[in-house]
Amino acid sequence: MKSSRSLFNPFRSAIRIASLFLFVAMFMGCSNSGANSDSKTSQNQENSRPEWAIAIHGGAGVISKDLSEDIRAGYEASLEAALSHGTERLAAGESALDVVEAVVQILEDDPRFNAGRGAVYTAEGVHELDAAIMDGRNRAAGAVAGVTTVRHPISLARLVMDETSHVLLMGAGAEAFADETDLERVSNEWFDTDNRRRPLERAREREAERASTERASATQAVFLEEKASRYGTVGAVALDKEGNLAAATSTGGMTNKRFGRVGDVPVIGAGTYADNATAAISCTGTGEQFIRHVVAHQIASRMELAGESLHDAASYVVQQRLDPGDGGIIAISHTGEIALVFNSSGMFRGAADANGRFEVAIWE
Amino acid sequence: MKSSRSLFNPFRSAIRIASLFLFVAMFMGCSNSGANSDSKTSQNQENSRPEWAIAIHGGAGVISKDLSEDIRAGYEASLEAALSHGTERLAAGESALDVVEAVVQILEDDPRFNAGRGAVYTAEGVHELDAAIMDGRNRAAGAVAGVTTVRHPISLARLVMDETSHVLLMGAGAEAFADETDLERVSNEWFDTDNRRRPLERAREREAERASTERASATQAVFLEEKASRYGTVGAVALDKEGNLAAATSTGGMTNKRFGRVGDVPVIGAGTYADNATAAISCTGTGEQFIRHVVAHQIASRMELAGESLHDAASYVVQQRLDPGDGGIIAISHTGEIALVFNSSGMFRGAADANGRFEVAIWE
């Protein structure tokens, strides 16, 4: 393999052994919220299938534990607001599909997360947004890539699913489709935030340094892009009172991306998947790895074909197939089991269900 | 499901029963070339794992059996030429990855097929090309969508895989990446062929009729696009002497496509997938269906997790999960088993291996 990933090969064995230990701690932390000191929990211990359930994420990656209390509280408040909204609507009997779209809209509007307003900048200093939604009832799906003026890309993906015979629209064509809808449009600058401009400036400085010292081409600059800058996505998965599943994911992609790079989000089966027979899944992390391993569909397939529980399937794929640090997934099975699994240092996430669970968390 | 597919629901039960009969005939036709009157066969009966194997396709769909003998012979000669080239290179010990790229280049240059020169026209009367390649050794993958001036999109996909850390580049960004390579560039008109212009003109006439009689919007026009115009793709899968698998697919998409529509070809796991542990797979047909069902990865998953043979896995997915007429797949397993399975009236295809098999075929 000639990609940059091969550079890490010599370290993989050691990392895999270390990750085994991490895995145990992480799995317990993720699956048992009562043991998770970073979560706010009011879970009761019922094991019955919940009448409804929801999980959300706001990206996975290297999240410093030195975050100030203010910043940390801000993230938690954002996650709680989105989770509360979804919780209320599911409790009121709304469909999983409508709820995941609405919750992702809230996360897209929140400048804390890399989707919609607050999306990272491309190398050209603009924003190109990707989103996907999938309906577990019938595998209907819609996705958009490289959208630039649609306030809620997740809703454009929904309209691709509902109003065309297509699944994936890209770039200027997706914008032209948006022109035929009633969706709210904004200037590309509307997505600007200072928090995202600084990483772009740092990435450009690093490139300039490399170009002067290593005569690196633009291609190599992309090639060498730091892993840490790739993270950040929002997503929601839900099980409604009718027993239907749905998944939605939205992202600004990676800081300083070039060449129309598209990650896993709009790739159905990679970053987003839903099937009532198995689970609804939304991913976040190094998009390319989620594409190569068809992560969301691989988890669903292990449930369907190997009879694994959602947790076993998700943990196997995230911990054994992906590389340490690649990211994580949120998922809900058709029985209401919730999985929040990641192999990075943190994942902004939340989960709630009709049995009284309501928690948000950042680290293990 | 609100897409056009739901219109066919009332007929599905009857169609499924009919397809059971078709399936038996088709499966025999595809898996046993000796019984296939449309194939040119010099297969011997060895059951040992072949030293190498290759399969190709030039699209699936409604292919009239009233083709003139000249046209039919032309397609067969084109398939034989591409298959011979791949056969010679695999016999000489070249890698599956290099061979599938080279064979797809030949099919891209051939105006008979909907990829490269001979690609269908978009609604704007131009060509937007998609391609993907995947290396079964390490799941490395590269894909491009909406390319307009690269003579061999499959080779641009190869460079995305080899020279960047990304998997999928789209549109103007993919063209900018091509600018940094040595790949041959052509004007978009270079892809023009009269054979593809006529279907566009017919599609435009139908749209004009609909617009006057039904006040259909452009969105609805896409929605109503005839199934028959969606077909046509080229692909190759190979097993080399080292036991490595690779898959490559390239397409011009669907006639009269709008809104930057992207089909299954550049969606890793949907239209293209390769993993040495299971199989290399390339798909052709109604791209949206292959995306929703993650067809290529679903076949590989059934082999890995349910222990099915390539034939059983491919036949199940194509005949039971897809709808009749959706299209087909070519695949080679890690043991050298070749599958050529479709549920449309025809699929341009060919297969060869080191045990003496060499055949091309169009219908069942």
Side-chain angles (χ1 to χ4, degrees), chain A residues 218-233:
Chain A
T219 306
Q220 288 170 314
V222 167
F223 181 87
L224 294 164
E225 195 59 44
E226 285 187 26
K227 210 166 181 175
S229 70
R230 295 189 192 163
Y231 299 115
T233 295

Side-chain angles (χ1 to χ4, degrees), chain A residues 170-213:
Chain A
M170 67 164 205
E175 290 283 317
F177 173 67
D179 292 344
E180 308 223 348
T181 73
D182 296 328
L183 291 182
E184 185 179 345
R185 309 296 282 279
V186 294
S187 69
N188 196 255
E189 294 75 28
W190 187 84
F191 300 111
D192 285 356
T193 52
D194 286 343
N195 280 342
R196 300 298 184 185
R197 188 169 287 284
R198 284 191 288 273
L200 174 65
E201 287 162 359
R202 284 198 296 272
R204 286 175 169 170
E205 286 163 14
R206 285 193 302 269
E207 271 185 17
E209 282 171 27
R210 277 189 215 117
S212 62
T213 58

Side-chain angles (χ1 to χ4, degrees), chain A residues 1 138-139 146 163 165-170 173-174 177 180 219 222 259-260 262 288 292-293 297 304 321, chain B residues 1 138-139 146 163 165-170 173-174 177 180 218-219 222 259-260 262 288 292 297 304 321:
Chain A
M1 187 173 179
N138 53 10
R139 285 198 191 78
E163 300 196 357
S165 56
H166 301 317
V167 171
L168 175 56
L169 303 183
M170 67 164 205
F177 173 67
E180 308 223 348
T219 306
V222 167
F259 302 136
V262 177
E288 283 74 9
R292 293 180 189 111
H293 291 275
H297 186 258
E304 179 189 352
R321 291 294 182 94
Chain B
M1 186 175 181
N138 53 9
R139 286 198 190 80
E163 299 196 358
S165 57
H166 301 319
V167 170
L168 175 57
L169 304 183
M170 67 164 206
F177 173 66
E180 309 225 346
T219 306
V222 167
F259 301 138
V262 178
E288 282 74 9
R292 294 181 188 111
H297 186 257
E304 179 189 351
R321 291 294 182 95

Side-chain angles (χ1 to χ4, degrees), chain B residues 154-177:
Chain B
I154 195 64
S155 297
L156 187 61
R158 174 77 187 264
L159 290 178
V160 171
M161 179 177 83
D162 286 352
E163 299 196 358
T164 82
S165 57
H166 301 319
V167 170
L168 175 57
L169 304 183
M170 67 164 206
E175 291 283 317
F177 173 66

